[in-house]
Amino acid sequence: MPDLVAPKLHYHVPAPRGSLSECDYAELEVTTNYSFLRGASHPDELMYRAAELGYRAIAITDFNTLCGVVRAYEGWKETSSKGPAPKLIIGARLTLNDFPDLLVWATDRASYGRLCRLLTLGKRRAEKGSCLLTLDDFLQHQEGLLAAIANRHEHPFRHPAIELLHRSKCRNTYDRLIQLRETLGDRLSLAICRLYGGSDVRQIDAVLTLGKQLGIPPLATNCAYYHDPSRRVLQDVLTCIRHLVPIQQAGYHLFPNGERYLKPPAAMHRLFDDLPQAIQRGLEIAERCTFSLAELRYEYPNELAPEGKTPMQHLSELAWEGARTRYTQDLPQKVSDLLTRELTLIEQLHYEAYFLTVNDIVRFARSRGILCQGRGSAANSAVCYCLGVTSVDPSRIDVLFERFISAARGEPPDIDVDFEHERREEVLQYIYEKYGRERSGMTAEVISYRGRSAVRDVGKALGLSLDMVDQMAKRLEGWSAGTISESQLREIGLDPANPHIRQVMDITSQILGFPRHLSQHVGGMVMTRGPLCEMVPIENASMPGRTVIEWDKNDIDTLGILKVDCLGLGMLTCLSKALVLMNERSPRELYQIPPEDPAVYDMICQADTVGVFQIESRAQMSMLPRLKPRNFYDLIIEVAIVRPGPIQGNMVHPYLRRRNGEESVTYPSEALREVLSKTLGVPLFQEQAMKIAMVGAGFTGEEADQLRRAMAAWRHHGSIERFHQRFIDGMLANGYTPEFADYCFMQIRGFGEYGFPESHAASFALLVYASAWIKHYYPAEFACALINSQPMGFYAPAQIVRDAKAHGVTVLPPDVNHSTWDCLIESDGENALRLGYRLIKGFRRESADTIAAAREHAGQFTSIEQFQRQTGMKRKDIQKLAEADAFASLGLKRREALWQAMELSDDHHPLFDLVPSISINNQQSTLPPMALGQEVMTDYATTSLSLKQHPVSLIRPMLDEMRIIPACRLADLPQETWVKVVGLVLVRQRPATASGIVFETLEDETGTANIIIRTQIYERYRAAARHAVLLECDGYIERNGMVIHILARRLTDLTHLINDLHHHSRDFH
Amino acid sequence: MLLRTIANRQLVVACCGKAAQAGIRPEMTMAQARALSAQVEGIDWRPDLDQKALEALARYLNRFTPTVALETRDIADFESQISNLRFQIFLDLTGCEHLFGGLSNMVHRIGQALHSLRIPSILGVANTPAAAYAMTCAPVTSTGPLQRVRMIIPDDLAHPPVDSLPLHALRLPDEILQTLHHLGLETIGQLCKLSRESLPSRFGPILLRRLDQLDGRLPEPLVPLAWTTPMVARFDFDGSVADPQALELTCRDLLEKLLLELERKGKGIRELRITLERVDAPAEQLTISASRPSRNLRSLMGLYRCAFDQLGISHLKSPISKRNYSRNYDVGFTAMVLEVTRGQSLAHQQVTLGDSDRVQCDDAWQNTLDLIRTRLGETSVAQVQLEHSYLPEKAFKRTAANIPEKEACDAELSGSRPLVLQSPPIELGVMVAPSHDADGAPLSFNLQGTSHTVKYAFGPERIAGQWWEGHNKTRDYFDVADEAGRRYWMFRVQETGKWFLHGRFE
């Protein structure tokens, strides 16, 4: 009961205070949505609102994190460019194990560094996402930090001061408080807020009493969780998601009312009219915090130049030396000019250390024999080429160094390097090793709510049944906007007018884009000269051995911190393995592959590209015969054109028509001819989009670059629209027609999804050519490397093997006397591909290595008993081998081998090894023999492929009766013929660009058939279309040049036919 | 369809015929099933319920033979056998055939019984349980007269034609079936051709055991379901007795008898049914229940008296009331039967040193509660429990007065609250201190025509509405004292500015 307090009327109206300056206010306790599932506003929203309300300052104090401060800083930059902005104070809320929570604010760069270090300490101790700190930890890092004892954030909402006053109950904490007070002196405050809780009066009283006892001043805050009162609903839902309870049961997990928003300074003054000193204290603290994120200076690591040389000298030496190696005879004038120019610019902008860093990583990879290649805009640089970072010869394509580095942009270049995906971890660990955990870290990636996850979580939080949530989430397939139309709702049996459903939809649309958790970026590494952990907190990743900084790519960009993207690329692994295999015949390096081989282009034009990098997808394959690439530049276009960007921008068909001479090549103006001549007047690359904006619409280089960023930032949907009017106006001013201006903008927006820069396409095209070349000349090695690099690419081993056989490669089954874990090339006069144990389902690598070692030691195996004696393998694993028919070289059929294997015992008796084993197996004859169908199906069941026969061929007689034609005959049939085909379903695809149309590829023993399933047909034959293993498709042939599709009209699931081959198979697929 | 969850994946265990028509099969994931048919509804599979139902059915079949057995297996077994979910009950018919007019008649009767229970089933008959089970796996030859029940009675019971039957007729673990399948073995006959010696080392003992059980080389004893006799005590009066005291004495005797037996079993009474039989009218039934298992004669008799009073039979004593006795039964009862309908093990209670008072106190309290409940009826006594909610009227709930303490909610009140709430709140006329934010405190108020001046007001405590239930209004609560020192708890609805009295502090 609040009887203890003198009776008093609260909150009566104060006389309006005089000037505005008296209504100054600084909000120092703000939780943003980067305290995941707590705050209900984006940092920038809070910043804008604070500016609107005329706050003196606003602090960001997220729970044990600095994750959101850069976004707030961005918001600050934007508001301050428009007018007076509140000061942004960087801080955090520390949850301590042995003490009430502390609010902490950084006063200067040094104290900010200590805060980062403290958070790093707490996070490195704990598992990902949590933080373990004690008051002692804080005391060790307290120098220069301002702190306040925070309000409790959970219910029952009681200020820690109340407990501290009952000294007898928490003696220890009280003593710690005295210690804290003595260490911090006047840097400590007691935060209070008036949130209209039931016990406000008591709390304030306690805070004042305690403050008087110890000399700690009170500090007024409003403990803001959102910028606007309307976000209360969302905050409640987030709380429910955090606690995994439906809102009906959330009870005291929620806040009792919606007062935690940014209130106008006048309102805050009224709330604390009896405690003006508490508000004054906030302003004072704000005054003392002078730190701004702008002070963070990124410094490159400096150990990369040898003693006595400046980094620049070192870089230019390396570059020229590299140029001499690259161009053995004589250096083309163009390249040497480029080098000189680039090096000057690099020196001017002080990027030399960055190039050295990348160079160092690439050198390391090379020294370990890890294949790597730069991608992205770095390929625009001759220096990168000479350093060996990228592989696109600048003398072969037009490079645009400005795309890579520009003096105007004032931001570091972006060098992405692809490594073999299986060995990338070695490179990452090298970086950690070299720079240490304190100086290097991986970039974070903020995982945000998108359509499905949003509906799922919101639906669950509002207590919808799981089924319903599922149904709704499913309808969001392919939508990123996160809304479900009313008709869709009705379709799944929900009433759109139902207020409950309305709420779900409303809240879902609000929650979209909210960060949910941090994950790691695919490969961005940050390295610094000084300790990185004093710049940004570093935490553990869920993956062992990885540490991640708290900021993501955009944050890093904003602060001008530089990262190196170390990405993993499956094709590099494959190429590397293929080169090793080829070296047995003819040693060769990747760059020694002869360029522009017409035979290779012939193969590409035939769309004979299973396994070839990038152009193996069905969409690419159907484009190849139309585009008919004949040289390297055509390949670059091929890579760039079959992308959602150009497809949605409607650029593909105009380009094809122009290329095939069906349409004349025209340019809207002479100025644009220069930009577009390479691509026949159709913009295909990002650079061209930028140049159109510059040349056509009069954008400055800076603006064009912003446009490019907007194109790339698909997440901020709509940000590109800001440029719309500006672009159209510019185009019109330069005398272009409105239609053309619109068309161009549409195209540019198309890039917003996915578009390639030319340099990137060129880097990829190199790999396309290299892999095509190897496939053409060394099909066995290529297939072998491809299978050994799985999982990657588009096709499963079965298709790769099939394709290899089609190219005349002999493929041998896995066998204990020949195979290893990986597939091998057996050269016995002619090259044959021996499949490895990796194809056997459920077989482990260690067992494979044991077998190889035993074979080395004891020679060929002769019987199963001897096999077990030599390898010491468990019966279960041997059975797996037997089922996979891997004992054929012992003269054992699958069933006999299995029968014998089953008799083995796992207990090893070394003594019996000496006794020659007596085979008691006179049983084989009683085991029923295996029919071919069973053999094939068991092959599929154990290795997902069969070398014996294609399953469809086994039912061909039946299919003939059903008048089903083999896939190879499709080529001879005219347009619109009604056909029926049957095949195993290889691929099911529903590209986002194809508005619901599903593509499936069927395979029979003679080839493949591509079918197109329109939405209605798909819906009608849903079960068959989605689940059939063996599918019959009836429909009309559609031809387009060499490309043949079947437009499905009827689908039938024939899976039972092949299952019958296997009798009562339980385990096919 | 029935679903079970394995590591985040929901799998179909079984489904109804309609779902099966849509292509849904066991072992599918729920997502796949839903893709096939949007209408299917999923229920969580509860193997324990299956087991219970099976047991109930087995007990029902006890009417045909004393030996009815279930195959003993635990829940874990169930889960591993999911791919062919079959339930079996074994009946030992030996020696009972003649009671039902011969074997085939008897089987037919059993079939009819199952048919009338609408339970689809297959009946297999053979000389050994294993063979009988195997017979149920025989292929369908023709449908009999009963749609739901198929009966397979081989011509020669001693040598049923098992050779052509599939291997799953042997009740083998999935793993072994899988291996046999890989070896290309599909029927029992094929398996029998292999040498016996080669089997155990490859498949473990179970395969051979099953084969041997098939033709009786190994016995497979059936363990009949245990039959528990109900605990009943009965006393037949000589003639009819209507005197409550005599009845009470009888009851005490019978109860003592039962308690003796209960003590041997270590059990106590939770529920006792007392039946008073009459000659020419329906029997009277009294049910008394204790909230804890009890063997306390005194308290149980107390409960009995309480319940007996409810009957109104005590009025039989006086002639006046006898006339008024509406049901007009002038004769007494001929017998009294006591049956323990719910017994429960009486847990040994640890009595802590010096705390035995509390235990006794608890017992006394429970006993009183039982008495009140018996007297007033089960639903008339409620208990108030705190709930997690900020809304005062939702911060508690009434439950049956029987919740053990540990299940009680650990909620705390979110602020100071009056003991009794006004329901519904009474609207007030209030004069409010002027305030900028419309959050001013009341100065005076008018309650039911009387005007009160506010001496002081604490507040506001602001409680927002439960928006998810469509209540978007916010209340500002004030703890108010008037000039007479009476304290009121009132709130203003922020959106409408109306005031309500929600309770008084007394």
Side-chain angles (χ1 to χ4, degrees), chain B residues 4-17:
Chain B
R4 66 184 174 140
T5 309
I6 294 175
N8 267 337
R9 270 164 26 116
Q10 284 187 297
L11 297 181
V12 176
V13 175
C15 61
C16 67

Side-chain angles (χ1 to χ4, degrees), chain B residues 182-259:
Chain B
H182 284 314
L183 287 169
L185 299 166
E186 304 291 345
T187 63
I188 296 179
Q190 283 174 332
L191 188 61
C192 290
K193 283 200 196 115
L194 302 176
S195 77
R196 287 174 58 83
E197 297 74 33
S198 63
L199 294 179
S201 64
R202 290 180 169 84
F203 300 100
I206 183 151
L207 182 60
L208 203 55
R209 191 169 77 222
R210 289 295 189 210
L211 276 177
D212 286 349
Q213 281 171 346
L214 209 54
D215 52 17
R217 260 182 284 185
L218 265 182
E220 184 180 6
L222 294 179
V223 184
L225 278 180
W227 185 255
T228 46
T229 43
M231 290 227 269
V232 187
R234 182 185 177 93
F235 189 83
D236 289 290
F237 301 116
D238 290 340
S240 72
V241 173
D243 179 19
Q245 267 170 5
L247 289 174
E248 193 180 321
L249 277 175
T250 318
C251 179
R252 176 183 287 267
D253 279 354
L254 292 175
L255 195 54
E256 269 173 354
K257 247 190 246 169
L258 281 179
L259 289 180

Side-chain angles (χ1 to χ4, degrees), chain A residues 546-566:
Chain A
R546 296 260 182 103
T547 45
V548 180
I549 65 169
E550 276 192 342
W551 291 339
D552 77 353
K553 184 164 138 262
N554 298 344
D555 298 340
I556 286 180
D557 271 2
T558 309
L559 297 178
I561 297 173
L562 175 152
K563 73 170 195 309
V564 183
D565 272 349
C566 304

Side-chain angles (χ1 to χ4, degrees), chain A residues 171-182:
Chain A
R171 180 90 248 169
N172 199 20
T173 318
Y174 191 82
D175 291 346
R176 305 301 312 263
L177 178 60
I178 293 174
Q179 188 190 354
L180 184 65
R181 157 84 183 92
E182 270 161 14

Side-chain angles (χ1 to χ4, degrees), chain B residues 5 27 30 74 91 135 145 156 202 235 238 262 312 333 404 412 431 442 484:
Chain B
T5 309
E27 295 283 86
M30 186 182 75
D74 45 24
L91 278 74
M135 288 321 291
D156 180 1
R202 290 180 169 84
F235 189 83
D238 290 340
L262 282 166
F333 303 101
E412 238 183 276
M431 270 265 282

Side-chain angles (χ1 to χ4, degrees), chain A residues 280 343 365 369 432 751 908 939 941:
Chain A
Q280 205 51 48
L343 286 169
Y432 281 130
F751 282 114
H908 190 56
D939 280 340

